[in-house]
Amino acid sequence: MASNILFLPFRRTHSTSLSEAIRQYISSKYDQHPDMFASDLETIDKLRNEAINVLEPQSSGIRKITAWAAQLVWISGKFPIDIGVDFVWYPALGYNTQKPSLSRPSGENCSREALIHEATAPQNNLRFELANILYNLASLYSQLAFSLNRTNSEGLRSACNYFCQAAGVISYLKDHVIPEMRSLPPEDMDAMTLESLEQLMLAQAQECFWQKAVMDGLKDASIAKLAAMVSDYYSTAGDFAVKSDSISSEWIHHMTAKHHHFAAAAQYRAACDCLEKRRYGEEVARLRDSQSCVNEALKEARWLNKVVLGDLHGLRNRVVEHLKRAEKDNDIIYLNPVPPKSELKLLDRANMATIKVPMEISDPISMLGERGHLGKPLFAKLVPYSVHVAASIYVERRDRLVNHSIIEELEGLNIKLHELLQSLNLPGSLQALERPLGLPPGLVAHAEEIRQQDGLNRLYRSMEDITKLKASDRGTYNEGLSILQQEAAEDDRARAKYGTDRWTRPRSREAAEKLWSQADEVDGYLKSAQSSDQLVEGKLKAQEQMLRLLAGINRDLEDFVPSSRRTNVTPKVEREAAALRTCLNEISRLESSRRKKVEAVKQKAKADDINPIILKEAGRLEREYPMQKIEPAHFENLFEQRLQLYEPDLELVSEEREKQDDLVTKLQEANANFVVAKKGDSSSKEREQALQKLENAYYKYKEIVSNLDVGRKFYNDLAKIVSRFRDECKGFAYQRRNEAEQLQNDITTGLSALSLSSHRDNLQQQLKKQQDQPASAVPSGFKLAPTAEPVAAPSPNHPRPIPPGSMPGMWTPNMPIKFGDPGSGPTAPNTGLGGTGVSSQSTGKSTRTPWDPKRGIQFG
């Protein structure tokens, strides 16, 4: 359909399974199983298919494209851009819109055609996918504007907004996405093309506003400013289009004609304004310039569609008509000089078209979430193993800082305070004076607290739990240590069997130095923990009797605490007792405040989730350094910055220490005055001691509870360490056994070859020794050939005549074996065939008897 504006066509692609590539990447690079993300893997292909099938100008397509674009930005922080999928996209502009090239040449001296091929080739690049998706979003905005009814104000307003958003998407694509592709952009997304398209969208947005201004009847001067700005946008778009290899000549002619068209329209409206202001000479000059601009636009007529051409003819007719009238009026009536074009004031511009980057594109991550406009982020729980390690390192450092440098310091201050109170016999001495009969309210409250917590039984149950945890940790540790020791023993036996010359691999302690060091370290932990456990058990045994009293009924407490006789309290004693009570109350408030602060620090540490920050940093590292493996060391600066959150709490410890020092000084002074004031009164001595024992038992109870909580946490944490230690020992032993089997096979093969060689050498030596023996040593009747060569393999010999000159009666290897014949031939030797053909050498006579087959063959 012909129109006076242009829209961007969609880029086309094929369906591609991104989920399979992501599944393989998760399996190989992450410490999580891909099946954990089955839903996300299914969703990611669905989102892409929905986005690439948006090929009609419908507003519902905006969300489909922006949702997929947002997910692409999100997963770029999880995966490298070369995830392993070749994205095939067909250009929308230019002359290569039917098929993409499949070759990707490299090198600096590539031809222009080669670079075009490379730019249109399939790319294993998530940023390439994002660039094409954003291009299609800009196309969708432009087509939505094109499809609107622009004959009313509402349609023009919406079209202007769509064109501005299209320009914003192209601007974002040009400035933020293409530079991060790390490869050549597609041929219709080079800098010149995108700049031209951006200016074209702004020109058409400004044109819509100009059209609305005309429709609303604004003043001619305002309309002239708007038209001049439209002309400028088209001029800039055309200038960049000429430098582009993808924008067709038809579009370039369209932009050129539009540039002259709106220059003419601007001068026409300015002339109308001059007529209204009675500047008749300038009116004529501007109408002439307008006519000149229209004529320049009509030079492009052969490449323009009928709608644009009709607009130009309509403008030209109006300009010609007004020019005739203006020249006639000025020549006859007004006689104003007509200034040349060079003296005309340049028209002002009113720019109403601005680049609008949708929030879904400029900040897509903020639009993702459980209730986000673009849906929940995919693979949100996918964490690289190095990030797991980094997070655990931070948690360990944070807990060490919080527990050791803050909580333990504050609790240590409390312990010192109670030790001081115990040494001063407080608050027992004061309670005995203030309440000589019955039980002090504070003591009753402490006893009730222990009863509600099932105090003594609770302590014993905790100790049993800790004993089980300790036994489990010790068993796991012993299992790993046993594996190491067994492997070391196997290695030592093999080394003793084959010798150090052949068994050349490192000893176990050298090969697993880290594991043996870890074994010693864990053993040290267990021994230290055992010592601490015994210390806690000693505390419990020492206070068991008092705790039983506190956990019992009040009657038992009353029986244990003796009453003191009432004495007259002097005003001085009463005054000093009041001062001492004030100090003790301040101490109670200080302890209560510390408990709240300790709890606040614990809650702060518990809520300190660094995973999102680490994931964000890991995503940045993956994007900026895709070829570099992420290591926990990369997060050191992040850890330091994060731990700065606890600086105020560290300062709090120093403040608490100063407060306590001041309070201790006041307490010691008040107690000294109190002791001096009541000096000589021993009526409540036994009551003071009993109350103090119970108070000390209560604080020991609190201390033991804290110690047991620490112990339980220690053994739970240690369980993870020893489990990892055992697993690493198993892996090491398995690897060493495979290595040992290979080494044994190599040694056995070498020994076999050496044995065969040694056996062959021994045979040759024995043969040589036999050949070197003297003739006297040769048995009678045999003669060895005088040769030093090794004995050759036997070969079949045919019967040959006895060589002349042989000694009668002597058999040689060349002679055949003959059975006895009484009438012919020489005397046969002792052939061992039967027992009758025997040559008697002692008498020199030979007796020969025919062989009887029935008697068989006998040897010897």
Side-chain angles (χ1 to χ4, degrees), residues 429-723:
S429 60
L430 187 59
Q431 289 175 343
L433 180 68
E434 292 176 336
R435 195 177 184 89
L437 299 175
L439 298 176
L443 180 60
V444 173
H446 292 164
E448 185 62 28
E449 179 183 347
I450 293 177
R451 290 177 198 136
Q452 289 179 356
Q453 296 177 358
D454 194 15
L456 202 57
N457 292 330
R458 173 191 178 186
L459 296 182
Y460 281 121
R461 284 196 301 269
S462 297
M463 294 187 72
E464 289 177 3
D465 293 342
I466 289 175
T467 302
K468 293 177 181 178
L469 288 172
K470 178 169 58 177
S472 176
D473 291 351
R474 171 62 75 174
T476 306
Y477 165 72
N478 289 337
E479 183 181 351
L481 184 62
S482 176
I483 293 172
L484 279 183
Q485 292 171 343
Q486 184 178 354
E487 193 282 325
E490 293 173 357
D491 182 69
D492 291 340
R493 284 195 297 270
R495 183 172 281 100
K497 178 180 179 180
Y498 297 108
T500 55
D501 292 339
R502 296 189 183 94
W503 201 257
T504 55
R505 70 173 184 168
R507 294 182 179 273
S508 293
R509 282 195 173 270
E510 296 174 1
E513 182 179 358
K514 182 179 179 181
L515 285 177
W516 283 101
S517 175
Q518 190 176 357
D520 295 338
E521 186 177 355
V522 172
D523 186 54
Y525 289 158
L526 290 170
K527 290 180 179 177
S528 175
Q530 179 66 25
S531 176
S532 299
D533 293 344
Q534 292 175 353
L535 183 62
V536 174
E537 289 176 4
K539 292 180 182 178
L540 180 56
K541 288 181 180 179
Q543 300 296 331
E544 183 175 6
Q545 182 181 0
M546 294 295 104
L547 291 176
R548 288 190 185 278
L549 284 173
L550 288 170
I553 59 177
N554 287 345
R555 175 62 61 87
D556 295 337
L557 287 175
E558 292 173 353
D559 292 342
F560 176 77
V561 178
S563 300
S564 60
R565 59 182 178 84
R566 290 185 177 274
T567 57
N568 293 326
V569 180
T570 64
K572 182 178 181 181
V573 172
E574 187 174 352
R575 184 173 59 252
E576 298 301 337
L580 184 58
R581 171 55 64 187
T582 301
C583 291
L584 291 177
N585 290 338
E586 290 183 13
I587 290 175
S588 297
R589 286 193 293 272
L590 181 64
E591 286 184 309
S592 176
S593 173
R594 281 180 185 168
R595 282 194 294 270
K596 294 178 181 178
K597 291 174 181 177
V598 166
E599 188 62 30
V601 172
K602 289 181 179 179
Q603 292 299 324
K604 181 179 179 180
K606 185 178 180 180
D608 183 11
D609 183 11
I610 199 174
N611 286 324
I613 300 176
I614 290 183
L615 287 174
K616 183 178 179 180
E617 179 67 9
R620 184 188 68 81
L621 293 172
E622 287 179 345
R623 289 191 300 271
E624 295 182 3
Y625 310 101
M627 304 303 294
Q628 181 177 338
K629 182 180 179 182
I630 296 179
E631 300 290 347
H634 294 153
F635 303 95
E636 286 295 331
N637 293 335
L638 181 64
F639 294 164
E640 293 179 2
Q641 295 175 4
R642 188 71 175 183
L643 291 176
Q644 295 294 323
L645 294 173
Y646 299 94
E647 284 296 326
D649 302 297
L650 292 172
E651 295 175 358
L652 174 67
V653 173
S654 300
E655 295 175 0
E656 289 292 317
R657 186 177 291 108
E658 293 177 359
K659 287 182 182 178
Q660 179 161 317
D661 291 341
D662 295 340
L663 191 54
V664 164
T665 302
K666 291 172 59 177
L667 176 67
Q668 290 175 332
E669 182 179 351
N671 184 69
N673 295 334
F674 174 72
V675 171
V676 170
K678 64 186 287 288
K679 188 175 181 180
D681 183 7
S682 59
S683 59
S684 59
K685 191 67 175 178
E686 293 181 359
R687 182 176 176 83
E688 289 178 12
Q689 293 175 352
L691 291 174
Q692 191 60 41
K693 285 182 180 180
L694 293 172
E695 285 291 333
N696 293 343
Y698 169 76
Y699 287 113
K700 281 295 180 183
Y701 167 78
K702 303 290 286 185
E703 183 179 335
I704 293 170
V705 168
S706 176
N707 292 340
L708 292 176
D709 290 341
V710 172
R712 185 184 296 105
K713 183 179 185 305
F714 169 80
Y715 284 115
N716 282 326
D717 294 341
L718 187 62
K720 301 176 185 177
I721 296 174
V722 294
S723 296

Side-chain angles (χ1 to χ4, degrees), residues 811 815-821 828-839 847-860:
W811 178 85
M815 294 174 59
I817 299 176
K818 291 185 177 182
F819 297 101
D821 185 359
N830 180 12
T831 62
L833 298 175
T836 60
V838 178
S839 177
T847 304
R848 296 190 300 180
T849 306
W851 173 66
D852 184 2
K854 296 180 180 180
R855 299 180 63 182
I857 299 175
Q858 296 181 1
F859 296 94

Side-chain angles (χ1 to χ4, degrees), residues 27-92:
S27 298
S28 60
K29 301 293 184 182
Y30 287 83
D31 191 40
Q32 292 163 282
H33 198 279
D35 290 344
M36 296 173 57
F37 309 97
S39 176
D40 291 343
L41 291 170
E42 181 181 353
T43 302
I44 197 168
D45 285 339
K46 180 182 177 182
L47 287 175
R48 185 177 192 272
N49 288 332
E50 289 178 350
I52 65 176
N53 288 319
V54 175
L55 300 175
E56 296 293 335
Q58 297 177 357
S59 58
S60 61
I62 296 176
R63 187 188 180 281
K64 294 178 181 178
I65 294 179
T66 54
W68 175 231
Q71 294 294 348
L72 282 173
V73 174
W74 168 255
I75 66 174
S76 294
K78 299 282 185 179
F79 308 105
I81 62 173
D82 53 343
I83 186 64
V85 179
D86 287 330
F87 297 102
V88 180
W89 284 89
Y90 294 85

Side-chain angles (χ1 to χ4, degrees), residues 330-391:
N330 190 55
D331 291 342
I332 297 175
I333 303 174
Y334 306 117
L335 303 176
N336 285 353
V338 178
K341 179 179 179 180
S342 58
E343 294 182 6
L344 290 176
K345 180 184 176 183
L346 188 66
L347 294 178
D348 293 333
R349 266 66 173 165
N351 183 22
M352 304 305 295
T354 58
I355 291 175
K356 295 181 180 179
V357 183
M359 180 66 71
E360 294 88 344
I361 303 303
S362 61
D363 190 14
I365 305 301
S366 66
M367 308 292 286
L368 294 173
E370 291 296 332
R371 299 182 180 179
H373 174 63
L374 300 180
K376 67 177 184 179
L378 301 179
F379 308 102
K381 297 181 180 180
L382 181 62
V383 182
Y385 180 71
S386 58
V387 175
H388 282 292
V389 175

Side-chain angles (χ1 to χ4, degrees), residues 752-805:
S752 299
L754 181 62
S755 177
L756 290 173
S757 175
S758 177
H759 181 62
R760 185 169 57 250
D761 293 343
N762 290 337
L763 289 178
Q764 291 179 357
Q765 290 176 4
Q766 291 176 7
L767 179 60
K768 184 176 181 181
K769 185 177 180 180
Q770 291 176 0
Q771 292 172 350
D772 292 343
Q773 285 180 348
S776 59
V778 180
S780 176
F782 290 87
K783 185 177 181 180
L784 296 174
T787 175
E789 296 297 326
V791 179
S795 59
N797 293 319
H798 299 286
R800 291 195 298 254
I802 300 174

